[in-house]
């Protein structure tokens, strides 16, 4: 069953909607939903040791308490890179990216709601993950991707039985095409951006760190940011753990973008609360970090506010830095895709922002894109 408190609400204007309505966004402002949910109290890290070894061990902190379609996602290793920097190997997930954390929540929710079909849009990793979990759930699925998406990712989407639609015009055009399909009756939009269940899945990244580090968190969490789903999930987990009295201090959030596509970093350092109005004449520059090349993330205000509230900052990395970080990680035994190395590219440069203990996520396997030229 769905948890008792399962109501979508709009953080901008307060509009509310039942989960069962299949309404994918606020009908007033067309913005993303948040979720009315409060995790259970009285659970400490020692109480988890006998539980299932997947993210579902944190069921007390999740709006869905079980999944009939789990592929064993979660509980990825945490390994040291330096004396102060550790890496969480989220590329060891079932579909080889961290997106499995949120996709299993969306697909499980869809399975319970029973829509006619599921629609998703993605630059690749979220689409492959949603396709896999929909296959597991027996749900028909259509995934919209930008033209030019990695052939290895589109092959994986098709292999899971999803219908693939390649959209001309880049990431924004792809999102618009998927949202038009999502407005049709009987469609569940498995959006990793608009649906807050995805964020409640990605927040398990931080719950795992909290458990593995003995009930504490590092001084800083470096997170790659495009649409911000891992960062916002991390911020959600930190806020919950603090409210539950399970941590005393909150880590700084170090948000990482590619220099070529860094709208949030620009806004942050300019001191603004949101992105400037869209300029239709300006096309985003190409970048090796395709998974975070998002020119206008719908949750921009929330992302900027979360980083500021944590005392963190935005860091940007050049293309040469991405190439070098990927080679460096491979030389250390970690074969990671180009987007997934962005945080290591930023953190290895050091600087005052990168002080104390830091965890970086290695988000996607190198098999998805290959090595950068």
């Amino acid at each position: 069953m769905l948890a008792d408190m399962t109501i979508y609400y709009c953080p901008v204007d307060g509009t509310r909607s039942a989960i069962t309505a299949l309404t994918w966004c606020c009908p007033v402002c067309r913005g993303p939903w948040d979720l009315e949910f409060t995790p259970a109290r009285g659970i400490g890290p020692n109480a988890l040791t006998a539980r299932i070894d997947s993210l579902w061990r944190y069921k007390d902190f999740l709006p869905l308490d079980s999944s009939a379609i789990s592929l064993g996602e979660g509980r990825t290793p945490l390994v040291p890179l330096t004396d102060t920097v550790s890496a969480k190997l989220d590329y060891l997930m079932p579909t080889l990216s961290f997106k499995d954390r949120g996709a299993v929540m969306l697909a499980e929710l869809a399975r319970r709601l029973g829509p006619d079909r599921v629609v998703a849009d993605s630059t690749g990793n979220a689409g492959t993950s949603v396709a896999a979990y929909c296959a597991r759930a027996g749900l028909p699925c259509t995934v919209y991707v930008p033209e030019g998406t990695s052939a290895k990712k589109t092959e994986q989407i098709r292999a899971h039985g999803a219908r693939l639609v390649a959209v001309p015009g880049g990431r924004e055009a792809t999102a618009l095409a998927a949202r038009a399909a999502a407005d049709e009756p009987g469609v569940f939009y498995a959006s990793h951006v608009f649906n807050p269940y995805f964020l409640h899945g990605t927040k398990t990244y931080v719950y795992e760190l909290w458990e593995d580090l003995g009930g504490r968190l590092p001084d800083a969490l470096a997170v790659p940011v495009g649409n911000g789903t891992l960062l916002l999930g991390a911020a959600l987990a930190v806020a919950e753990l603090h409210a539950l009295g399970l941590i005393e201090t909150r880590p700084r959030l170090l948000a990482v973008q590619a220099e070529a596509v860094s709208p949030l970093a620009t806004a942050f350092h300019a001191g603004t609360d949101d992105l400037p109005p869209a300029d239709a004449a300006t096309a985003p520059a190409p970048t090796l970090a395709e998974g975070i090349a998002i020119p206008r993330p719908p949750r921009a205000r929330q992302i900027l506010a979360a980083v500021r509230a944590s005392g963190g900052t935005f860091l940007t990395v050049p293309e040469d830095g991405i190439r070098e970080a990927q080679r460096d990680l491979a030389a250390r035994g970690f074969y990671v895709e180009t987007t997934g190395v962005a945080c290591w590219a930023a953190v290895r440069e050091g600087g005052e922002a990168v002080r104390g203990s830091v965890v970086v996520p290695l988000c996607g396997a190198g098999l998805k894109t290959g090595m950068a030229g």
Side-chain angles (χ1 to χ4, degrees):
M1 295 178 63
L2 299 178
D4 291 336
M5 293 187 66
T6 50
I7 296 292
Y8 292 137
Y9 74 92
C10 176
V12 175
D13 55 43
T15 301
R16 294 157 63 89
S17 173
I19 304 299
T20 53
L22 297 182
T23 308
W24 64 267
C25 69
C26 172
V28 178
C29 70
R30 300 289 284 182
W33 290 120
D34 280 348
L35 191 67
E36 283 193 353
F37 173 75
T38 302
R41 290 185 173 273
I43 304 295
N46 293 335
L48 301 171
T49 54
R51 292 190 177 185
I52 187 171
D53 197 28
S54 77
L55 65 79
W56 295 100
R57 70 198 281 113
Y58 308 109
K59 62 182 181 179
D60 304 272
F61 308 106
L62 295 172
L64 299 174
D65 62 4
S66 64
S67 172
I69 59 171
S70 173
L71 293 168
E73 57 285 332
R75 298 296 291 147
T76 55
L78 181 67
V79 297
L81 288 175
T82 71
D83 290 343
T84 58
V85 180
S86 296
K88 189 154 175 60
L89 311 190
D90 260 25
Y91 69 90
L92 298 181
M93 290 283 194
T95 76
L96 307 182
S97 91
F98 86 95
K99 296 289 176 63
D100 290 356
R101 293 185 183 276
V104 68
M105 298 289 289
L106 293 182
E108 176 61 28
L109 178 60
R111 186 189 70 81
R112 299 184 190 196
L113 295 177
D116 296 331
R117 65 188 178 108
V118 174
V119 164
D121 60 290
S122 169
T123 54
N125 282 341
T128 59
S129 191
V130 170
Y133 284 98
C134 282
R136 180 81 162 165
L139 293 168
C141 177
T142 300
V143 179
Y144 292 78
V145 300
E147 279 188 346
T149 296
S150 164
K152 295 178 180 179
K153 293 179 180 178
T154 57
E155 177 185 351
Q156 188 179 2
I157 291 170
R158 288 192 178 100
H160 292 307
R163 174 174 171 253
L164 184 76
V165 178
V167 180
R171 187 64 183 89
E172 293 297 295
T174 302
L176 289 174
R179 292 168 197 168
D183 283 330
E184 297 174 5
V187 173
F188 179 88
Y189 185 24
S191 172
H192 56 293
V193 182
F194 279 78
N195 194 305
Y197 276 82
F198 194 93
L199 305 182
H200 281 270
T202 62
K203 78 181 182 184
T204 59
Y205 173 88
V206 168
Y207 277 96
E208 290 177 18
L209 292 177
W210 165 74
E211 182 183 1
D212 289 344
L213 294 174
R216 62 180 182 86
L217 291 175
D219 297 315
L221 296 169
V223 188
V225 176
N227 276 310
T229 54
L230 183 54
L231 182 139
L232 290 173
L236 181 61
V238 169
E240 289 176 351
L241 286 165
H242 189 264
L244 293 169
L246 296 173
I247 57 171
E248 294 183 2
T249 59
R250 308 188 191 201
R252 305 183 313 280
L253 296 176
L254 306 179
V256 178
Q257 295 202 292
E259 280 185 4
V261 187
S262 53
L264 291 164
T266 300
F268 181 88
H269 292 298
T272 61
D273 296 330
D274 204 348
L275 300 180
D279 182 354
T282 303
T287 175
L288 293 167
E290 63 178 12
I292 53 173
I294 309 297
R296 299 199 63 80
R299 293 187 185 268
R301 290 184 66 89
Q302 289 177 287
I303 296 166
L304 292 166
V307 175
R308 287 198 175 99
S310 76
T313 191
F314 271 82
L315 305 172
T316 60
V317 292
E319 299 303 291
D320 286 348
I322 293 171
R323 290 187 184 91
E324 177 55 33
Q326 189 184 39
R327 288 193 292 265
D328 180 70
L329 283 172
R332 296 168 184 261
F334 306 103
Y335 189 34
V336 185
E337 70 170 331
T338 46
T339 299
V341 306
C343 288
W344 177 234
V347 167
R348 70 197 293 261
E349 294 299 318
E352 174 58 22
V354 186
R355 63 185 185 276
S357 57
V358 183
V359 172
V360 300
L362 304 186
C363 296
L367 295 172
K368 287 176 172 282
T369 56
M371 292 293 289

